[in-house]
Amino acid sequence: MAGDRTRERPRSQASAGDLLHLVRSGRATTRGALQEATGLSRATVGQRLDRLFRAGWLREGAGGPAGSPTGGRPSLRLEFDDAHAVVLAVSLDTRHARAAVLTLTGELLAERSGALSVDEGPERVLGALGGWFAGLLKEAGRTADAVCGIGLGVPGPVDSATGRVVQPPIMPGWDGYDIRGRLGRAFAEQTGGGGDVRDADGAGGVPVLVDNDANLMAYGEQRTGHPDCAAFALVKVSTGIGAGVVVGGRIYRGIDGGAGDIGHIRVPEGAGALCRCGSYGCLAAVASGRALARRLTEAGVPAESGSDVRELLAEGHPEAVRLAREAGRSVGEVLATVVTLLNPGVLMIAGDLAGTPFLTGVRELLYQRALPRSTAHLDVVTARLGERSALVGAGALVVEHLYAPDRAEERLAALGL
């Protein structure tokens, strides 16, 4: 999320991008309030706002109760115009994908989901997504030229500087692959827009941003449901297990995107259980949707993935319920350490197993093992946005990148404004 960049330079040097940030954040939404916040003259504020108006990024709405600092009639309210562009967002899981066209404020205009396996490899999967984009834009009534950026969530660790996954345990063939470039080309080939994307800033075409799916889920859920929570953690338990952490309104990724990979923490009950990462004893090897599907199949209940387990849980299948609660206890034991370390205000459980049996198991061990001080102000909840949380997070990531003060200023200059 863009920080309060007006504090990083003298107030009198606040750029058009800084003014946009003040309006978007709600800190200053009239011309007078912008003058007061930045120390700029009325004429200078007017000149910089004119650049934003000509770009189509701002509009003036009806006058509100807040007028000029010196009094007088209420000023016209400045608003971010979310209709001037759209974002394409994708959440890619191990066996299926979900994609959408979103407004710049996160409103869903068109959505599609379907089977798409990461095992087919990045070339085929990303090419298929390009075809999805064409249909979604048509459904939303928008053209490719209206797309300002693409956000993609993937089930593996991502180096945010390069947009490439790094040694992903459940994404064979994706390690180090140029996801940004291929998805940008697929978008251009299937929609006729964008061109070849070579970096996140859109050199050669529409910018493509890639992040871990749990990170984006956490970002989307925190922004929409818990914006005042300074430390927020989300755990996704589906085919694999991963966590996303948002601290101070920003995704915490670690030094190279590896933060939150709790599925590969060793647990005592996992001894002898082989994980897809090649190690034995990982949490994911005993408590993920894939692990439960294997155990159910061994018990004579056919299941191949976390989504199959989810369906069995929805039907109230007794063995699935028992195993889900048991898995929740295993995850809860690991989360006791996570909660002690991070001291979050909200711990959200999401993914295929995020139902009552699993949540009950998590709470049993978490509150038993964690210090009371760490859980005194902790809310343990399930996801509010459901399967759309990563889409919302991906869209927000793109918008915050493109309209951050410095980046906005660069884009205005590129437009000749």
Side-chain angles (χ1 to χ4, degrees):
M1 183 185 299
D4 189 355
R5 299 296 297 276
T6 57
R7 296 181 182 177
E8 297 179 10
R9 55 171 67 91
R11 292 198 314 163
S12 60
Q13 295 180 20
S15 67
D18 290 316
L19 300 191
L20 178 66
H21 172 64
L22 287 169
V23 173
R24 291 187 62 234
S25 66
R27 286 190 55 215
T29 57
T30 65
R31 293 171 185 262
L34 288 172
Q35 288 177 243
E36 186 176 39
T38 62
L40 297 175
S41 69
R42 180 177 180 179
T44 302
V45 167
Q47 290 169 358
R48 293 180 182 174
L49 287 178
D50 183 60
R51 298 174 66 201
L52 298 171
F53 287 132
R54 284 189 287 151
W57 298 356
L58 280 188
R59 63 189 174 204
E60 286 185 313
S68 166
T70 59
R73 64 181 183 181
S75 301
L76 291 176
R77 185 178 181 85
L78 298 168
E79 301 172 345
F80 181 58
D81 189 344
D82 70 341
H84 73 268
V86 295
V87 175
L88 289 170
V90 183
S91 174
L92 182 62
D93 212 329
T94 54
R95 294 167 61 88
H96 67 276
R98 184 175 296 270
V101 180
L102 303 173
T103 68
L104 299 182
T105 48
E107 179 186 354
L108 192 145
L109 301 178
E111 182 181 19
R112 173 178 174 176
S113 63
L116 199 58
S117 174
V118 294
D119 288 345
E120 296 180 21
E123 185 74 20
R124 183 181 178 90
V125 169
L126 298 174
L129 289 175
W132 288 25
F133 292 158
L136 285 167
L137 287 171
K138 183 177 181 180
E139 181 182 341
R142 305 302 293 263
T143 65
D145 291 340
V147 177
C148 67
I150 302 170
L152 171 66
V154 297
V158 177
D159 181 345
S160 60
T162 64
R164 300 178 186 235
V165 291
V166 182
Q167 299 178 1
I170 57 176
M171 298 179 70
W174 291 72
D175 186 21
Y177 185 84
D178 181 17
I179 296 175
R180 289 176 179 169
R182 178 66 183 106
L183 190 56
R185 288 191 299 274
F187 168 75
E189 291 163 0
Q190 297 291 336
T191 68
D196 182 9
V197 178
R198 291 187 291 274
D199 59 48
D201 290 333
V206 172
V208 177
L209 275 70
V210 185
D211 210 327
N212 171 261
D213 56 354
N215 284 347
L216 295 181
M217 292 173 73
Y219 196 43
E221 293 280 0
Q222 187 270 338
R223 286 173 60 89
T224 58
H226 306 273
D228 297 325
C229 182
F232 178 96
L234 177 145
V235 178
K236 177 190 177 186
V237 187
S238 291
T239 297
I241 300 176
V245 178
V246 179
V247 177
R250 296 175 181 268
I251 297 173
Y252 179 74
R253 301 181 176 90
I255 60 171
D256 62 3
D261 206 1
I262 65 170
H264 301 286
I265 293 176
R266 304 290 179 86
V267 292
E269 61 269 35
L274 178 63
C275 181
R276 288 197 68 181
C277 72
S279 298
Y280 287 88
C282 294
L283 178 64
V286 297
S288 66
R290 185 188 299 275
L292 266 61
R294 184 189 67 249
R295 293 175 65 182
L296 283 165
T297 299
E298 291 171 351
V301 184
E304 295 183 6
S305 66
S307 59
D308 292 335
V309 177
R310 178 181 60 190
E311 292 176 4
L312 289 168
L313 288 171
E315 297 169 0
H317 191 283
E319 184 64 6
V321 169
R322 184 186 72 79
L323 290 175
R325 183 165 179 169
E326 185 178 302
R329 289 172 60 85
S330 295
V331 173
E333 186 162 10
V334 170
L335 291 180
T337 300
V338 172
V339 165
T340 301
L341 177 65
L342 294 180
N343 189 210
V346 175
L347 174 62
M348 181 172 284
I349 308 299
D352 290 329
L353 303 191
T356 300
F358 186 87
L359 190 63
T360 299
V362 167
R363 285 176 168 151
E364 284 176 357
L365 260 290
L366 173 62
Y367 287 106
Q368 183 183 121
R369 299 296 171 84
L371 292 172
R373 174 69 182 81
S374 300
T375 58
H377 303 288
L378 175 68
D379 289 330
V380 182
V381 299
T382 53
R384 296 176 58 181
L385 298 176
E387 295 182 339
R388 291 177 175 166
S389 58
L391 296 179
V392 173
L397 188 72
V398 171
V399 172
E400 293 303 327
H401 170 74
L402 292 178
Y403 296 93
D406 289 343
R407 183 66 181 116
E409 196 65 26
E410 293 171 4
R411 294 176 64 212
L412 287 170
L415 292 170
L417 299 174

